[in-house]
Amino acid sequence: MEYRLHTQDLRSHIPALKAGDRVILSGTIYTARDAAHKRFFELLDRGEELPFPLRDAVIYYAGPTPGQQGMAVGACGPTTASRMDAFAPRLLDLGLGAMIGKGERSQEVVDAIVRNGACYFAAVGGAGALIARCIKAAEVIAFDELGCESVKKMTVEDFPLTVAIDSTGGNLFRSGRAEYAAK
């Protein structure tokens, strides 16, 4: 199935999403990669607030390059999500709604997705320049000194995604391999 969703309404639609569904997402998302996630944990461990409200937020594992020729960002392809697997369960337990990246996730992350009724979206790797066209605005909101890995608040419009792991644990990576092996 294909869904056109806004990030404000995403949480209410997550239970209906199944691995393999296409989602055209619009709204607010936040970029964060390894270095930013380490900083998030430092803040949390000190009892401080994160630079954005985590409840129902969408984190895109990306480090966009600076925009040119009127674009909000340059290339903005997904980072390998497993690099954030050590961080994801805690953030999901604190209310994170969804993650966007590329590649498989650990069983601990899958368990946390199911436990929290969240989901993991896959974006097309190698298509950073094309994805940038969906980004209408981007502003650094934390850790500016990290450059491309700073945390950015981005407004996206019609961002094409695939549900890779749904809220029931349906996993496109596993089912896709099984389907291929059966052929």
PDB file of all heavy atoms in Angstrom, residues 25 35 53 62 119 135:
ATOM      1  N   LEU A  25       6.176  11.106   2.902  1.00  0.00           N
ATOM      2  CA  LEU A  25       6.122  11.831   4.173  1.00  0.00           C
ATOM      3  C   LEU A  25       6.384  13.322   3.990  1.00  0.00           C
ATOM      4  O   LEU A  25       7.307  13.718   3.273  1.00  0.00           O
ATOM      5  CB  LEU A  25       7.160  11.246   5.131  1.00  0.00           C
ATOM      6  CG  LEU A  25       7.125  11.729   6.574  1.00  0.00           C
ATOM      7  CD1 LEU A  25       5.821  11.292   7.262  1.00  0.00           C
ATOM      8  CD2 LEU A  25       8.327  11.188   7.336  1.00  0.00           C
ATOM      9  N   ALA A  35      27.719  11.052  16.075  1.00  0.00           N
ATOM     10  CA  ALA A  35      28.249  12.055  17.001  1.00  0.00           C
ATOM     11  C   ALA A  35      27.128  12.764  17.753  1.00  0.00           C
ATOM     12  O   ALA A  35      27.233  13.013  18.958  1.00  0.00           O
ATOM     13  CB  ALA A  35      29.117  13.070  16.254  1.00  0.00           C
ATOM     14  N   PRO A  53      11.828  18.198  20.901  1.00  0.00           N
ATOM     15  CA  PRO A  53      10.944  17.300  21.643  1.00  0.00           C
ATOM     16  C   PRO A  53      10.977  15.901  21.029  1.00  0.00           C
ATOM     17  O   PRO A  53      10.694  15.726  19.849  1.00  0.00           O
ATOM     18  CB  PRO A  53       9.559  17.939  21.507  1.00  0.00           C
ATOM     19  CG  PRO A  53       9.680  19.031  20.522  1.00  0.00           C
ATOM     20  CD  PRO A  53      11.117  19.262  20.223  1.00  0.00           C
ATOM     21  N   ALA A  62      21.144  11.100   8.833  1.00  0.00           N
ATOM     22  CA  ALA A  62      21.747  11.738   7.666  1.00  0.00           C
ATOM     23  C   ALA A  62      22.626  12.889   8.117  1.00  0.00           C
ATOM     24  O   ALA A  62      22.427  13.457   9.187  1.00  0.00           O
ATOM     25  CB  ALA A  62      20.665  12.250   6.720  1.00  0.00           C
ATOM     26  N   CYS A 119       8.217   2.767  14.222  1.00  0.00           N
ATOM     27  CA  CYS A 119       8.579   2.131  12.960  1.00  0.00           C
ATOM     28  C   CYS A 119       9.918   2.662  12.460  1.00  0.00           C
ATOM     29  O   CYS A 119      10.403   3.699  12.920  1.00  0.00           O
ATOM     30  CB  CYS A 119       7.503   2.283  11.899  1.00  0.00           C
ATOM     31  SG  CYS A 119       7.315   3.922  11.218  1.00  0.00           S
ATOM     32  N   ILE A 135      13.501  18.356   0.540  1.00  0.00           N
ATOM     33  CA  ILE A 135      13.777  19.141   1.747  1.00  0.00           C
ATOM     34  C   ILE A 135      13.584  20.613   1.438  1.00  0.00           C
ATOM     35  O   ILE A 135      14.316  21.185   0.633  1.00  0.00           O
ATOM     36  CB  ILE A 135      15.195  18.835   2.271  1.00  0.00           C
ATOM     37  CG1 ILE A 135      15.301  17.336   2.586  1.00  0.00           C
ATOM     38  CG2 ILE A 135      15.503  19.683   3.501  1.00  0.00           C
ATOM     39  CD1 ILE A 135      16.711  16.847   2.772  1.00  0.00           C
TER      40      ILE A 135
END
